[in-house]
């Protein structure tokens, strides 16, 4: 779910969120436009609690804000990811956390672990015993809490310059469910009306949902679809 770093949770955000709750869709939050004047990510995080009724888990710290926004500090991997002044956002540096950020990072990381411990007993046990918490443990706890809808990871970025987009894509892979993590789709055959089940496999019969139709002046009618099973090949006809 994309939230504007300036506008925060807007009415349309609430509508989409309620729909995701209704269909039990796990989600992560990406607070965008961190380079805009007047950005207030803390306000957006508070609104996730008060207006959306969810439990945000902040897994990054922004490196600067407004015109000084350069990247993020990853609280899971404990690394700085800095895009600097690259206008296209293709080049970035991953480095150790600098001394000036150490105190804030440790405070925010402890806060993140405390919140995660409420949904993961093994993590809580290790945290209370003062054991070192490894990134793999945190990722496993975040993924578990996200898929069970107990929490929502929060990330930051400025998409216009691609700053923060690379960690967002990694978070989608690390924390959101893959097709094999959710039950197969059940529906009716369009002609016989028999109940059929489709598993997320290339070996199953092809089935998909067209979610958008667009007319292009050069190509013609384009249909965007989500594949639930099987595969579509170039030139094939689908009922």
């Amino acid at each position: 779910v994309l939230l504007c770093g300036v506008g925060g949770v807007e009415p349309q955000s609430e509508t989409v969120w309620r729909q995701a709750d209704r269909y039990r869709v796990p989600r992560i939050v990406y607070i965008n436009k961190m380079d805009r004047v007047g950005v207030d990510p803390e306000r957006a995080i508070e609104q996730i609690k008060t207006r959306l009724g969810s439990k945000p888990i902040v897994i990054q710290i922004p490196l600067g804000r407004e015109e000084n926004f350069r990247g993020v500090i990853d609280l899971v991997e404990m690394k700085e990811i800095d895009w600097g002044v690259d206008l296209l956002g293709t080049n970035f540096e991953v480095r150790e956390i600098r001394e000036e950020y150490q105190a804030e990072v440790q405070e925010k990381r402890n806060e993140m672990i405390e919140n995660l411990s409420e949904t993961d007993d093994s993590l809580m046990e290790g945290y209370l015993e003062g054991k070192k918490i490894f990134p793999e443990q945190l990722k496993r706890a975040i993924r578990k809490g996200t898929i069970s809808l107990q929490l929502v990871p929060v990330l930051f970025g400025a998409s216009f310059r691609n700053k923060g987009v690379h960690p967002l894509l990694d978070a989608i892979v690390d924390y959101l469910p893959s097709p094999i993590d959710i039950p197969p789709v059940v529906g009716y055959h369009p002609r016989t009306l028999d109940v059929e089940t489709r598993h997320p496999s290339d070996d199953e019969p092809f089935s998909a949902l067209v979610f958008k139709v667009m007319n292009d002046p050069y190509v013609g009618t384009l249909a965007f679809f989500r594949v639930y099973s099987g595969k579509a090949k170039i030139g094939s006809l689908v009922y």
Side-chain angles (χ1 to χ4, degrees), residues 129-160:
E129 292 177 359
K131 296 180 180 178
K132 183 177 180 180
I133 305 297
F134 294 96
E136 294 75 20
Q137 294 173 272
L138 293 173
K139 287 183 178 181
R140 187 165 56 248
I142 295 170
R143 180 180 176 85
K144 175 184 174 184
T146 302
I147 293 178
S148 63
L149 305 180
Q150 293 179 282
L151 55 87
V152 180
V154 178
L155 301 93
F156 306 94
S159 294
F160 186 66

Side-chain angles (χ1 to χ4, degrees), residues 192-206:
T192 65
L193 297 183
D194 293 335
V195 177
E196 295 194 9
T197 301
R198 293 282 188 267
H199 294 86
S201 168
D202 287 350
D203 299 327
E204 291 271 307
F206 176 74

Side-chain angles (χ1 to χ4, degrees), residues 11-43:
Q12 188 173 356
S13 309
E14 295 185 67
T15 301
V16 172
W17 199 273
R18 285 196 298 269
Q19 189 175 25
D21 282 340
R22 177 184 177 188
Y23 292 102
R24 297 190 59 78
V25 178
R27 70 217 76 154
I28 59 180
V29 168
Y30 175 72
I31 298 180
N32 193 20
K33 302 180 182 178
M34 286 297 299
D35 55 350
R36 281 266 305 272
V37 175
V39 67
D40 189 352
E42 290 80 15
R43 173 174 168 268

Side-chain angles (χ1 to χ4, degrees), residues 96-109:
E96 298 299 322
I97 299 171
R98 287 169 287 178
E99 186 64 34
E100 61 192 277
Y101 294 112
Q102 286 289 346
E104 180 185 5
V105 165
Q106 203 55 57
E107 178 187 350
K108 295 293 185 182
R109 192 171 196 264

